[in-house]
Amino acid sequence: MIEILAIFIRLMKKPPVYLLTLLLTAITAQSQVNLTSSNLPLVIITTPGGQSIVNEPKITASMKIIYNGAGQRNTSADPGNVYDGVVGIEIRGRHSSTLPQKPYGFETRDINGGNLNVSLLGMPEENDWILTANYNDKTFLRNLLAFEIFRKMGHYAPGTRYCEVILNGSYDGIYLLCEKIKQDKNRVDIAKLNPDDNSGDDLTGGYIFSTDYYTASDSWLSDHSPVNKPGARVHYVYCDPKPDVLSEIQKAYLKDHVNSFEDVLYDRYFDDRHKGYNKYIDVNSFVDYFILSELTRNIDAYKKSRFFYKDKASDGGLIHSGPPWDFDWAWKDIKENCTHFSQSDGSGWAYRINECGAWPVPPSWEVRLIQDKNFSGRVYNRWFSLRKTILAEEYLHHLIDSAALLLDEAQERHFTRWDILGRNVGTPEYGEQPESYAGEIVKFKTWIARRLKWLDANMVGKPGTGNGDIAFYRIYPVPADGQLNIESEKIFTGLELYSVTGARLRQITHCSANQITVDISGLESGLYIIRIRFASGEVVSRKFVKQ
């Protein structure tokens, strides 16, 4: 009861519905589970003397990750054949950290406490990882499905693997082990910015920044207010490199560059094909991020956990939208004082969140971009093209059913540990609260069907517009292994494959296709460049990693 009162006092400025939901969450029944074996990977965390994990600083703990392969059983007594070593671990998140099942961030470390790059469950080597809790997502699918869609659109999204976690001998439920968003050749593949890169091309990239909760020391204030919220103050957050690593020259450069973009975006000639916003942003990524955010009607899509990245000028230097993150409040009807997220008929626009007094205040660049008929036309064309493929209802059902089948055994343990089926916990939702996992999956599919129907009838833009820019294309898988697939909405006539030193390794000419598969099984692991030539005369280049 003392813990419940502490939560109440800390959040007493929140809306009453939010408080009631949080209090109900705090008193939700919890039961211990004796996990004997699982079809999912097991992550076993042990802290010294059962020490509590806190929200900063990271504490040192041991971690064992067990996975014996598809179709095999995994038990806590098995050796840590994926990882068995030291980690630094902390609680992460804002609202999610107040829920009973905690999310964690951890670093894999060597015995001396230094960063140790390792491959976890088939994901490329790195040392920064996230264990995303599923207390606020009874389908276990909201983040995974959003990431998968963005990845299949042709962009990087964090890699994910389902697992079950045991913390200090206590079963803690189903988690999603995720790659942390950061600069890396296998993650956000932009130039590594060092503290002494303070002039010339080196100064121009790479940077990752965001709109998110901020402090005075980790953010900067925009010179502009959103077009749909005059006078509001927008802050951008330095993400990678972190603000205490960036030099003052680098901070000033990024701030000035984003302000220069906004100067153009809010100018009367913002939609000029040569002098307008196109000079500053990767339009394809903004179109696809808009579509993902509206498909999911994600209340957080623009105001928090909204990432951007920028590479060096010599590598294009454009601002990209993404990677996606934080979709546990998405794909649902929310008891929020905002008509765009509370409707149960599939309606509402996430990009118009500034109409609802959002904080942090999002820049809502999309409100301005949509005023350009070329941009809105590209959204329209892209939406209806994707509706035939990865956004077809049948395809989405396939992804959902595959994940639900994989989790069918573990979900029983999870909902024994966290007795939340049939209860409104986490996000305050409208509508039924199914009392079974199968019911949650049906509810999820039904929500998606309503949303697809409404977006089909109300999508921004018009047919036949938005064809004047570089074609949409996608290269997958990312990273690649034995073969590389290239697909485009426009016909391409040839492609070339280069090493990073500029040596041409493959060339295909005189083709006329929308898709092609390139055999790369004979290439060594590393970074490569693919150059695609379109029938329109356009040429685009894209880096990719061969595992």
Side-chain angles (χ1 to χ4, degrees):
M1 184 59 69
I2 293 175
E3 181 182 357
I4 297 171
L5 287 174
I7 293 172
F8 184 85
I9 292 169
R10 189 169 71 247
L11 298 170
M12 51 190 304
K13 293 185 179 180
K14 292 287 186 178
V17 169
Y18 183 98
L19 282 174
L20 178 59
T21 302
L22 193 60
L23 287 172
L24 289 174
T25 295
I27 61 176
T28 297
Q30 304 172 19
S31 300
Q32 292 302 312
V33 173
N34 182 23
L35 173 61
T36 55
S37 71
S38 175
N39 64 314
L40 297 182
L42 298 182
V43 176
I44 301 174
I45 305 166
T46 305
T47 65
Q51 179 182 356
S52 296
I53 302 172
V54 295
N55 189 351
E56 293 186 348
K58 291 183 174 72
I59 67 167
T60 301
S62 64
M63 177 179 287
K64 182 168 71 168
I65 302 180
I66 302 159
Y67 185 57
N68 294 314
Q72 303 300 310
R73 306 299 297 177
N74 310 293
T75 73
S76 58
D78 292 336
N81 56 354
V82 174
Y83 184 75
D84 192 352
V86 178
V87 297
I89 189 167
E90 65 184 351
I91 294 174
R92 68 181 311 278
R94 193 174 176 103
H95 170 259
S96 55
S97 68
T98 68
L99 301 175
Q101 187 193 24
K102 307 299 183 186
Y104 301 105
F106 69 92
E107 299 170 342
T108 47
R109 296 176 174 175
D110 60 28
I111 57 174
N112 297 315
N115 290 338
L116 178 65
N117 290 337
V118 296
S119 171
L120 298 184
L121 298 173
M123 291 181 282
E125 289 188 356
E126 240 292 339
N127 59 79
D128 278 317
W129 307 89
I130 306 294
L131 279 168
T132 301
N134 285 290
Y135 196 91
N136 196 31
D137 179 10
K138 288 177 276 190
T139 69
F140 311 104
L141 278 159
R142 287 177 164 84
N143 282 303
L144 179 135
L145 189 58
F147 297 171
E148 182 67 11
I149 289 169
F150 202 66
R151 190 178 301 114
K152 288 186 178 298
M153 286 173 164
H155 312 281
Y156 168 75
T160 60
R161 299 291 186 274
Y162 287 116
C163 61
E164 292 185 272
V165 170
I166 299 173
L167 173 60
N168 289 328
S170 176
Y171 177 76
D172 218 31
I174 296 173
Y175 280 76
L176 198 61
L177 176 61
C178 303
E179 296 174 335
K180 181 180 179 180
I181 293 174
K182 63 183 295 188
Q183 182 280 328
D184 185 88
K185 68 178 182 178
N186 294 312
R187 295 191 183 178
V188 181
D189 187 14
I190 55 177
K192 178 69 173 178
L193 185 70
N194 297 310
D196 57 352
D197 291 333
N198 290 312
S199 64
D201 187 52
D202 290 341
L203 174 61
T204 64
Y207 297 90
I208 302 176
F209 62 102
S210 70
T211 53
D212 211 331
Y213 301 118
Y214 59 86
T215 65
S217 62
D218 68 6
S219 65
W220 79 88
L221 176 65
S222 171
D223 289 346
H224 296 271
S225 296
V227 294
N228 61 344
K229 199 167 185 179
R233 298 164 66 87
V234 174
H235 289 257
Y236 297 100
V237 178
Y238 301 104
C239 295
D240 190 17
K242 294 184 182 300
D244 58 348
V245 175
L246 286 166
S247 71
E248 292 304 314
I249 293 174
Q250 291 166 345
K251 289 180 180 179
Y253 168 80
L254 182 57
K255 175 182 177 180
D256 290 345
H257 185 81
V258 174
N259 276 330
S260 295
F261 161 60
E262 292 186 314
D263 287 342
V264 171
L265 184 66
Y266 299 129
D267 185 80
R268 63 183 295 189
Y269 300 110
F270 80 105
D271 57 352
D272 184 277
R273 295 299 95 194
H274 304 289
K275 297 182 293 184
Y277 66 82
N278 289 273
K279 295 191 306 179
Y280 288 90
I281 68 171
D282 178 82
V283 179
N284 285 356
S285 68
F286 276 80
V287 169
D288 280 351
Y289 189 89
F290 177 89
I291 287 173
L292 177 65
S293 302
E294 298 308 330
L295 167 67
T296 60
R297 206 179 66 185
N298 185 5
I299 194 170
D300 292 331
Y302 302 102
K303 70 175 183 178
K304 63 178 288 288
S305 301
R306 199 270 171 90
F307 290 90
F308 306 92
Y309 66 90
K310 180 194 179 299
D311 210 341
K312 285 184 177 181
S314 58
D315 287 322
L318 297 176
I319 298 171
H320 290 246
S321 185
W325 188 257
D326 204 0
F327 283 76
D328 61 325
W329 279 61
W331 313 90
K332 59 181 76 171
D333 302 327
I334 303 174
K335 290 181 179 178
E336 185 82 7
N337 188 25
C338 181
T339 184
H340 294 294
F341 301 97
S342 60
Q343 301 303 311
S344 60
D345 61 356
S347 64
W349 290 109
Y351 81 96
R352 291 171 59 180
I353 190 172
N354 263 334
E355 299 171 12
C356 303
W359 189 86
V361 177
S364 291
W365 291 345
E366 287 74 11
V367 175
R368 182 62 162 164
L369 290 171
I370 285 171
Q371 294 175 6
D372 174 22
K373 66 179 181 180
N374 192 281
F375 183 88
S376 61
R378 292 182 68 178
V379 171
Y380 184 97
N381 295 337
R382 179 68 161 162
W383 169 259
F384 285 102
S385 173
L386 293 174
R387 286 286 283 118
K388 300 174 185 177
T389 55
I390 61 172
L391 297 188
E393 195 168 343
E394 297 79 8
Y395 182 78
L396 296 174
H397 283 188
H398 168 71
L399 294 178
I400 293 168
D401 290 340
S402 297
L405 180 62
L406 176 67
L407 298 172
D408 190 54
E409 171 195 325
Q411 59 87 15
E412 293 188 10
R413 290 187 288 269
H414 181 92
F415 291 122
T416 299
R417 176 69 175 94
W418 309 111
D419 184 17
I420 56 177
L421 286 172
R423 302 169 184 261
N424 201 341
V425 301
T427 308
E429 291 185 63
Y430 284 113
E432 64 171 330
Q433 296 296 317
E435 296 187 358
S436 69
Y437 180 56
E440 283 289 343
I441 295 300
V442 170
K443 176 185 175 182
F444 190 51
K445 289 180 177 178
T446 302
W447 190 96
I448 291 173
R450 287 196 305 266
R451 186 64 177 160
L452 289 171
K453 183 178 179 180
W454 187 84
L455 288 171
D456 284 347
N458 295 277
M459 183 51 63
V460 301
K462 296 179 180 179
T465 59
N467 296 317
D469 296 315
I470 292 174
F472 277 106
Y473 66 95
R474 67 185 184 113
I475 297 174
Y476 66 96
V478 181
D481 192 1
Q483 62 183 30
L484 188 71
N485 302 295
I486 301 101
E487 294 181 358
S488 172
E489 294 178 357
K490 292 185 178 181
I491 297 294
F492 52 83
T493 57
L495 59 86
E496 299 158 347
L497 178 64
Y498 293 87
S499 70
V500 290
T501 61
R504 188 166 66 191
L505 307 175
R506 301 274 196 282
Q507 183 177 21
I508 299 175
T509 59
H510 307 300
C511 65
S512 180
N514 291 96
Q515 59 183 38
I516 195 169
T517 299
V518 181
D519 182 8
I520 58 171
S521 58
L523 298 180
E524 295 182 356
S525 298
L527 183 65
Y528 296 88
I529 299 170
I530 191 86
R531 181 171 296 164
I532 308 168
R533 301 181 182 277
F534 291 94
S536 62
E538 297 165 310
V539 179
V540 298
S541 297
R542 170 83 174 273
K543 292 183 289 186
F544 72 93
V545 174
K546 164 69 165 58
Q547 284 186 322

